[in-house]
Amino acid sequence: MEETILVCDDSFVGIFTGVYEAYARKLHHELTRIQIGKEENLRLFAEYIVIEPSEEKTVKVSRTLQKRLGEEVYNTLCRALASKDSQKGDTVYHTIVLALGEKGNKVMENLQNDYVRKVFELSRYVWGEIHHLYGFLRFEEMENGVLFSKIGPKNNIITFLAPHFSERFPTENYIIFDETRNVYAVHPARNQWFLVTGDEFARDLSNRYSDKELEIQELFRYFCHKIAIKERINPSLQRNMLPIRFREYMTEFQQ
């Protein structure tokens, strides 16, 4: 039989829309794949269908998954979708098929299944980076009082970071900028956060620190340098606890 390949955008909306279409079109799940973007080498005996992202269809899929599988499984699937892995769409799709078919909210216990095991691994990897940035993300005060932070995560995790810091700083105006994907999470004080994309937004914001911020940064770097005990410096342990790739965005490591 001919294989069906649904070509989706690399986003929550794109992939969840693909899942919706797979069910709406009554496709044979074992012969259906979700592909992220276009590939140079096309498969023989396969039908390619380009899926247009739909917020409405994504909401329907999200509600169904939360209702049928519960919040824990749903969050695991969402974290897997935030991964940079190119096979995440197909992996999550087939895990959903298994869960809605027979496993239900116990699906993540079925680790002998290749798809479920891969979802578990992707989710754990993404959660590790989220957890790191809960502690390593640094806000800097701009001249206008807005708190600004720049990050460069491997995975698309800005939608997981924004709610966390909204709860911690509900009365602050803050912006988190993912420079890898050119996406901004904007949180107006006492309001809901939202995403903004584009080169024009906050173009030079990171270069306009307040005088107070510059003073505190200098004091903080001096403090971190002075508390170090030369005889106990352990670079290997430091790299394990604080990977080097995070340091370029941290005040205490900037010159």
Side-chain angles (χ1 to χ4, degrees):
M1 296 178 64
E2 188 176 64
E3 189 177 32
T4 302
I5 299 177
L6 305 179
V7 183
C8 304
D9 285 354
D10 186 4
S11 65
F12 292 96
V13 176
I15 296 170
F16 274 169
T17 303
V19 173
Y20 179 93
E21 290 294 340
Y23 278 90
R25 296 168 186 253
K26 301 185 184 302
L27 299 176
H28 193 299
H29 296 307
E30 292 184 3
L31 296 175
T32 302
R33 294 180 58 246
I34 286 184
Q35 175 182 299
I36 305 298
K38 296 181 179 180
E39 295 181 351
E40 293 184 2
N41 298 321
L42 300 180
R43 294 185 177 219
L44 295 174
F45 312 110
E47 178 187 10
Y48 285 79
I49 303 175
V50 178
I51 302 299
E52 293 297 327
S54 168
E55 293 282 353
E56 180 182 356
K57 294 174 182 178
T58 297
V59 170
K60 291 180 179 179
V61 171
S62 297
R63 287 175 178 171
T64 298
L65 295 179
Q66 292 177 72
K67 181 179 180 181
R68 297 275 299 276
L69 308 181
E71 287 295 327
E72 184 176 351
V73 174
Y74 175 73
N75 289 335
T76 298
L77 295 172
C78 287
R79 286 194 295 268
L81 288 180
S83 167
K84 63 176 183 176
D85 191 281
S86 62
Q87 302 300 316
K88 62 185 177 183
D90 193 55
T91 302
V92 168
Y93 163 57
H94 284 285
T95 300
I96 290 173
V97 170
L98 184 65
L100 297 181
E102 56 179 277
K103 294 297 181 180
N105 60 9
K106 303 294 185 182
V107 65
M108 295 312 302
E109 298 176 6
N110 188 25
L111 293 178
Q112 67 269 24
N113 181 279
D114 291 340
Y115 294 116
V116 175
R117 184 172 61 254
K118 184 67 176 292
V119 165
F120 177 81
E121 291 171 352
L122 294 179
S123 178
R124 183 173 60 178
Y125 176 69
V126 169
W127 170 244
E129 186 169 47
I130 294 170
H131 185 70
H132 272 123
L133 283 173
Y134 281 169
F136 299 154
L137 185 145
R138 297 289 185 261
F139 283 108
E140 300 165 323
E141 185 183 64
M142 301 296 106
E143 288 181 344
N144 57 8
V146 173
L147 301 181
F148 181 79
S149 177
K150 183 166 64 173
I151 59 175
K154 292 182 177 180
N155 304 291
N156 187 13
I157 60 174
I158 196 168
T159 54
F160 295 93
L161 297 174
H164 172 79
F165 289 103
S166 294
E167 292 181 2
R168 291 193 64 188
F169 308 119
T171 61
E172 299 288 348
N173 295 305
Y174 77 70
I175 296 172
I176 301 175
F177 173 43
D178 181 348
E179 67 172 356
T180 303
R181 296 162 187 83
N182 197 26
V183 176
Y184 301 80
V186 182
H187 175 261
R190 300 180 179 84
N191 281 292
Q192 293 293 321
W193 64 273
F194 57 91
L195 293 180
V196 177
T197 59
D199 296 327
E200 298 302 321
F201 186 78
R203 179 181 291 275
D204 298 318
L205 187 60
S206 60
N207 295 324
R208 300 199 301 269
Y209 298 129
S210 68
D211 292 337
K212 182 179 179 181
E213 173 65 26
L214 292 174
E215 180 181 356
I216 291 176
Q217 285 186 14
E218 183 177 355
L219 289 172
F220 186 51
R221 285 192 290 268
Y222 180 78
F223 169 76
C224 291
H225 176 73
K226 283 299 181 181
I227 64 171
I229 301 175
K230 182 178 180 180
E231 291 75 16
R232 294 186 178 180
I233 293 178
N234 187 336
S236 178
L237 178 61
Q238 290 174 355
R239 287 193 295 271
N240 288 335
M241 302 298 292
L242 176 53
I244 292 176
R245 65 188 179 89
F246 292 105
R247 300 183 187 185
E248 65 175 294
Y249 302 101
M250 300 176 67
T251 304
E252 55 266 47
F253 292 99
Q254 297 172 3
Q255 298 298 325

